[in-house]
Every structure is written in C-alpha cells, then in structure tokens.
Amino acid sequence: MQHKNILILTGAGLSAESGLDTFRDKGGVWAQYDYREVATPEGFAANPDLVHAFYNMRRAALKTVTPNAAHIALGKLQNDMAAKGGRVSIVTQNVDDLHEAGGAEGVIHMHGELAKVRCVACETVTEWREDLGRNTQCPACSAVGAMRPHIVWFGEIPMEMDRIGGLLADADVFVSIGTSGSVYPAAGFVAEARQLGKTCVELNLEPSENHTLFTDARYGPATEVVPAWVQDIIA
Ligand code: BJW
C-alpha cells in the first residue's frame, strides 16, 4: 500500500500510556470535574480561580510526562515519509506537547495548548509553563486580569479549521488515533474524508463512536498498534 499524503488526527488515547488521563474513559477527566465548570467560557466567567487551578494542575502534570512509543513512531513516520517525498500532517485535539517531544513537527493543536496562555485584551499568545492566576499581568500589554489558558473550550471555535480543511482535501489517507469521536468538529472529519473518497483508518483501544465509517481499523493500546501500523506504512 503506497501512501503519499497522510493526515493524522489524534486524541487523548495517544497520551494515556504516558500517564495523562483521557476525558471519557472510566475515571477520566470528566468523571473528576464538571466540564461546564472548567471547560466553557461561562465556567471561566463564573469562577476563574477554579478554572485556573484546573489548568495549573494539568500544566504541572505536563512536566512529569514523556512521549511514549506511539508519539515517537509518528515523529519517525513524518521524517521517513518526508525523505521519500511524501507528507504526514498531524492534527491533534491534545493540549499536551508530547507529539513535539516525540519528534513531530508542524503539529496543529486544534483545541489549543496547555503550555501557552492568551491575553484577551491584546490577543498575544505567550508560552507559559508556570501557574496562571487572576492577577497575572500580560507580558505584552501589561493588562492585569486578562490572561486565560490558550485552550478551546466548549462553544468556542477550534483553531486553524481552514488549514485543516485544506489538509483533509489534499490527503490520500485519513488516520484517527486514540479519540472517542464524540467531540465535533473533529468527530466529523472521518465522514468528510469518506465523502471525498479517502481511505480512513482507525487506531484505538476500542471502536470509537463512528467506527463504522472507517475502511480499516486496528484495536489495541496505542503503544502497540501505532508503531506496528507505522512499520507497515514505512515498509
Ligand atoms: C486509547 C487508549 C490507549 C484510551 N491507546 N487508545 C452536536 C453536533 C455537533 C457539535 C455539537 C453538538 N452539540 C454540541 C456541539 C459542540 C461541541 C461538541 O462536540 N459537543 C459534544 C460533546 C456533542 N463542540 C464544541 O463546542 C467545539 N466547538 C465547536 O463546535 O464550535 C463550533 C464550530 C466549529 C467549527 C466551525 C464552526 C463552528 C469545541 C470543542 C472543544 C473541546 N474541548 C475539550 C477540552 C479542552 C481541552 C482540555 O482542557 O484538555 O477538548 S473537551 C475534550 O474532548 C478535549 C479533547 O480534545 C476532546 C476530545 O476527546 P478525545 O481526545 O476523543 O478523548 P476521549 O476521552 O473522549 O477518548 C479517548 C479515546 O482513547 C477513547 O476512544 C479510548 O478508547 C481511547 N483510548 N486509552 C489507544 N492506551
């Protein structure tokens, strides 16, 4: 099977074996926190301290984790395909930076990034690995009380949608890894890809909500199925 242009969509399952909780699995993030309180603009307006504490905790957790075999395999796939004149684009719903730590480049973080913050007064995005609070001053415009996590909450428009649409249209193959397929618009990419006649591959622990739309699937832990799939593509 020869693939020249691959678009990969990843979700929380990819980082699970690095030690980061998924959202909807048993004991996941949404079993521990009410998403309406911590992951909506309304929740942030009502209780900014709670939302800052939630993201401060997750930003701190990021410092304790490392990329797993699946992140590393995808970084290698990107390099290998580029050397052969192909292209592997990675769009992630994950807000961690494990793709980059695993060697991937040009990753599109459609739901934002934990290690970045944004000023709502001047819109400047700043790399930020420490705690953020209601009184943090914007390093660009000095406004106080205007900083928020650079995260896409429910009801907000995900980042770089036009670019993702172009990548989807150009790809020969769409691959979805470690995502439950329950959050839109990412959950709709497979239907779009099928409509455009692409091969669609699912790599996940178990069948996702829209598993019937995929033309090919491999189920098991990401650290096993992703390196094995990458090996087959490279071979
Ligand atoms: C493993 C594994 C292992 C485990 N190995 N696999 C009806 C229709 C369409 C849309 C809507 C609708 N009703 C409401 C909406 C809108 C809403 C939405 O989709 N809601 C649904 C819940 C219904 N969407 C939005 O609001 C989005 N914005 C939007 O739609 O704007 C409108 C618009 C868009 C485009 C153009 C014009 C207008 C924004 C969504 C923002 C999502 N934000 C979050 C939280 C913020 C980030 C953070 O704090 O971390 O992003 S929610 C959360 O879910 C997070 C994730 O990125 C996202 C997806 O979760 P993911 O990655 O799939 O994780 P899980 O836990 O669900 O699944 C894990 C999977 O891994 C499972 O399948 C496991 O089996 C597997 N797994 N271990 C391999 N070891």
Side-chain angles (χ1 to χ4, degrees):
M1 194 173 16
Q2 183 122 47
H3 299 317
K4 278 200 115 43
N5 193 338
I6 303 175
L7 176 61
I8 296 176
L9 170 72
T10 64
L14 186 75
S15 298
E17 290 162 89
S18 288
L20 294 176
D21 285 341
T22 60
F23 293 90
R24 295 168 186 81
D25 292 311
K26 199 163 175 270
V29 177
W30 298 153
Q32 303 167 53
Y33 297 89
D34 184 336
Y35 77 88
R36 288 163 298 200
E37 291 181 357
V38 296
T40 63
E42 295 78 15
F44 186 53
N47 193 345
D49 291 336
L50 175 76
V51 176
H52 281 309
F54 174 70
Y55 284 100
N56 287 344
M57 174 198 70
R58 293 181 57 213
R59 212 174 288 116
L62 200 54
K63 291 182 180 167
T64 69
V65 296
T66 52
N68 64 47
H71 297 105
I72 293 166
L74 294 177
K76 178 173 159 45
L77 177 68
Q78 243 189 357
N79 263 321
D80 227 82
M81 291 287 292
K84 292 176 184 160
R87 184 168 80 179
V88 176
S89 307
I90 299 177
V91 174
T92 188
Q93 298 168 86
N94 297 345
V95 297
D96 64 55
D97 56 3
L98 295 179
H99 273 300
E100 289 85 350
E105 287 177 6
V107 178
I108 298 179
H109 285 269
M110 65 179 291
H111 290 166
E113 293 175 71
L114 262 180
K116 290 183 180 167
V117 296
R118 185 167 82 237
C119 173
V120 297
C122 73
E123 292 297 323
T124 300
V125 175
T126 308
E127 187 163 337
W128 200 273
R129 293 188 182 266
E130 306 309 321
D131 282 358
L132 187 67
R134 218 200 290 212
N135 297 321
T136 308
Q137 194 172 33
C138 171
C141 74
S142 303
V144 173
M147 301 298 275
R148 58 162 282 179
H150 189 49
I151 297 283
V152 178
W153 290 322
F154 284 107
E156 297 184 319
I157 297 183
M159 294 173 191
E160 307 215 51
M161 288 305 297
D162 288 349
R163 216 172 125 213
I164 296 170
L167 291 171
L168 194 58
D170 287 347
D172 309 311
V173 188
F174 170 72
V175 187
S176 173
I177 306 177
T179 175
S180 61
S182 47
V183 175
Y184 288 83
F189 292 171
V190 61
E192 280 176 54
R194 278 304 296 278
Q195 223 156 27
L196 294 167
K198 322 283 183 190
T199 298
C200 295
V201 182
E202 168 158 271
L203 308 178
N204 206 15
L205 192 58
E206 53 195 31
S208 66
E209 286 195 16
N210 36 33
H211 67 100
T212 54
L213 293 170
F214 290 90
T215 51
D216 186 12
R218 296 185 188 188
Y219 296 114
T223 55
E224 292 175 18
V225 293
V226 175
W229 173 78
V230 165
Q231 197 54 47
D232 288 352
I233 296 292
I234 289 174

